Amino acid sequence: LFSALIVRTRHPVLEMATSGHPIVRQDSTTSAGQIDPQILGAAVVADSQNPCCEGVLLGRDHSIDCPRRFARDVAMVRDEEIAMALQAAEMHAQQAFYQRRQLQLQQRQVIHTEYYQLTDPVWGDILSQEPPSFVKRFMFGCCPCAVLGCRSKEAVRGWRRFLGSFSTLLGLMQVAALLFMILLHGMVSPEQNPMLGPHYHVLDAAGAKNAAKILLAGEWWRMFTAEFLHAGWIHLIGNLVVQLRTGCALEVLWGHWPWLAIYLSSGAYATLASCVFHPDRIGVGSSGALCGLIGAWLAFIVITWNQTLPADMSSRNTQAVSIAGSIVLILVSSFLPLMDMAAHAGGLVIGTSVSMVVFGNRLQSFPYRVATLGTGAILVVALITCTTYMFVAHTEANESLLNLCMPPDC
C-alpha cells in the first residue's frame, strides 16, 4: 500500500484498486489502452501484471528487500558453485589422465630396460642403458662382486647376504681344516697327492671316510666329517667355486635352514653310498653335498613350475635345461680317476628326495602336494634304510684300513 500511495502521489493518472493492480484512465493512455512507456518506462509494461517491489514498478532493478532479488542472487550463487564444481571435476579428470599417461610411459620404459638387466639372488640387479658385453656377463655370472664393487647399496647388501650365509661359513671351515692339516703334517709331492695336499693317511686321521672304521670301530661320525675335508687345494677350490656361487644363490632363494638340511643330508648319504660301493677307499670332499644341492634345484624348479611369472618363464626353462645338462656332465665325469661315482649319484638322488619333502608344501594343488610329500618321504626312508642295510649286512670291510701309519713313517 505504501508503494501504491507513492505511485498515486507522483503519477495521478493511476488509481489503485483493492486487488493491487493499476487501473488505466482513458485520458492518459494511448489509443490501444496501454500505458505510455514515457511515463513509467518499458520495464513497467512487462512486470505491471505482478509488481513485486518499487524498483520493478518503476522500471529499475529489484529493491534491496525484494524476495525475488534474494531468490535471483541465490540462484546466481548456485550457478557459480556448479560452474566451479564442474571446472574442478574437469581439472581432476585431466590430472588423472596425465598421471595414467605418465605411468604408462614409465612402464614402457621399464619394459624396455629389462633387456639390459642382470639379476642375481645374492647381489641384486644391475641396470644399464646399453646391452652388457660378453665380458661383463661372464664376470657377473662368475663373480658379481667384481662388477658391483663394494661401495654401492646393492653391493653392501650382497656382501651381507654372502658373508652371513652357511655356504660361506662352511667354506671357511673347509679352508681352515685343510690349512690345519698342512700346518701340522705338511704337503706331499704331486706324485703322492695330485691334488696338492697332505698325505692320505693324514686325511684319515682327521675324519675321512673309512668304511672299516665306520663298520668295525663304530665311527659313524665320519659320515658327516668327510664332507668338510678335501684332498688338496685343487680339490678344495673346485668345490668352493660351486659352493660359494651356486650354493649361496640357492641358500638365498630357499632359506638358510632348508639349504643346510639338504646340504648335510646329501653329504652324509653320499658318504654312506661310497662306503657300500667303494669300501676299500678313503674318501673326502663336499662334492656329494653339492650334487645334492643340484638335484634339489631341479626338483625345486619342477615343483614351482606353474608359479613362475610370465616374464621369468624363459629364464626358468633355461635353468632347467642347464641343470639337466650339469647332472649329465657330473655323472659322466664321475668315471674319471680319483672321482667317486657312488658319492655323486647318491648325493643327486637323496638331494632330490629331500627337496620333495622340504618344498612339497609350495604346491598349490592339494592332491599334488600330498603326493609329492608322501613320495619324497618314502624315497628318503627307503634310500637310507636300504643303503644302510647293504652296508651293514653285505659290505666286507678291509681290516687293513683300521691301522694306518702316519707320515713320515710311511
Side-chain angles (χ1 to χ4, degrees), residues 100-398:
R100 290 194 302 268
R101 183 63 176 174
Q102 186 177 5
L103 181 60
Q104 291 175 358
L105 293 176
Q106 291 177 355
Q107 291 176 351
R108 290 179 182 178
Q109 185 178 3
V110 170
I111 294 174
H112 178 70
T113 56
E114 282 183 355
Y115 178 75
Y116 311 116
Q117 180 177 358
L118 298 176
T119 304
D120 186 82
V122 181
W123 301 96
D125 302 334
I126 295 181
L127 298 177
S128 60
Q129 298 294 332
E130 299 178 356
S133 61
F134 173 78
V135 177
K136 187 175 182 179
R137 288 177 179 271
F138 180 78
M139 291 296 297
F140 187 79
C142 297
C143 186
C145 57
V147 180
L148 287 173
C150 302
R151 296 183 179 180
S152 63
K153 293 182 179 180
E154 289 292 339
V156 172
R157 285 193 292 264
W159 280 109
R160 289 177 180 174
R161 298 190 194 103
F162 178 75
L163 298 176
S165 63
F166 281 123
S167 302
T168 305
L169 177 61
L170 297 180
L172 293 176
M173 294 173 61
Q174 293 163 357
V175 173
L178 181 59
L179 281 175
F180 183 75
M181 290 186 293
I182 292 176
L183 290 176
L184 287 180
H185 303 282
M187 295 176 59
V188 297
S189 63
E191 289 79 11
Q192 292 179 318
N193 186 353
M195 296 295 172
L196 304 180
H199 196 277
Y200 292 129
H201 293 180
V202 175
L203 298 176
D204 176 72
K209 181 215 83 175
N210 188 330
K213 291 186 177 181
I214 294 174
L215 186 60
L216 301 177
E219 298 180 359
W220 290 90
W221 48 267
R222 292 178 178 266
M223 294 290 182
F224 294 95
T225 57
E227 59 186 306
F228 293 95
L229 304 176
H230 289 82
W233 292 111
I234 297 177
H235 189 199
L236 176 63
I237 292 173
N239 285 343
L240 281 181
V241 168
V242 180
Q243 180 171 315
L244 296 180
R245 184 67 185 98
T246 305
C248 188
L250 294 177
E251 183 177 352
V252 174
L253 184 64
W254 297 344
H256 299 293
W257 297 110
W259 184 93
L260 185 63
I262 295 173
Y263 185 91
L264 295 179
S265 60
S266 299
Y269 183 80
T271 303
L272 179 62
S274 180
C275 290
V276 173
F277 290 94
H278 305 291
D280 298 332
R281 298 182 185 176
I282 294 175
V284 291
S286 60
S287 56
L290 298 177
C291 289
L293 292 178
I294 294 175
W297 190 8
L298 182 61
F300 175 80
I301 291 178
V302 174
I303 290 174
T304 59
W305 188 269
N306 294 326
Q307 302 174 15
T308 308
L309 296 175
D312 299 331
M313 287 184 178
S314 60
S315 177
R316 175 203 62 189
N317 299 337
T318 303
Q319 287 183 2
V321 173
S322 352
I323 295 169
S326 300
I327 291 174
V328 174
L329 182 61
I330 290 171
L331 295 177
V332 172
S333 62
S334 298
F335 291 99
L336 297 175
L338 302 177
M339 296 292 182
D340 196 337
M341 174 68 179
H344 293 174
L348 286 170
V349 173
I350 198 67
T352 304
S353 304
V354 173
S355 67
M356 295 173 65
V357 178
V358 174
F359 303 124
N361 287 325
R362 301 197 179 196
L363 287 168
Q364 298 177 351
S365 174
F366 180 75
Y368 286 110
R369 187 189 312 152
V370 174
T372 302
L373 292 173
T375 304
I378 292 173
L379 286 175
V380 171
V381 174
L383 287 171
I384 295 176
T385 302
C386 294
T387 309
T388 304
Y389 173 76
M390 292 177 61
F391 176 57
V392 174
H394 299 284
T395 301
E396 295 181 1
N398 188 355

Side-chain angles (χ1 to χ4, degrees), residues 76-90:
M76 292 177 62
V77 172
R78 291 179 179 176
D79 292 340
E80 292 178 357
E81 292 178 352
I82 294 173
M84 293 178 62
L86 292 175
Q87 291 179 358
E90 185 177 0

Side-chain angles (χ1 to χ4, degrees), residues 1-12 16 54 57-58:
L1 293 177
F2 178 74
S3 300
L5 290 175
I6 295 176
V7 172
R8 175 185 289 272
T9 305
R10 296 180 60 182
H11 303 282
M16 302 302 298
E54 178 186 3
L57 190 61
L58 298 178

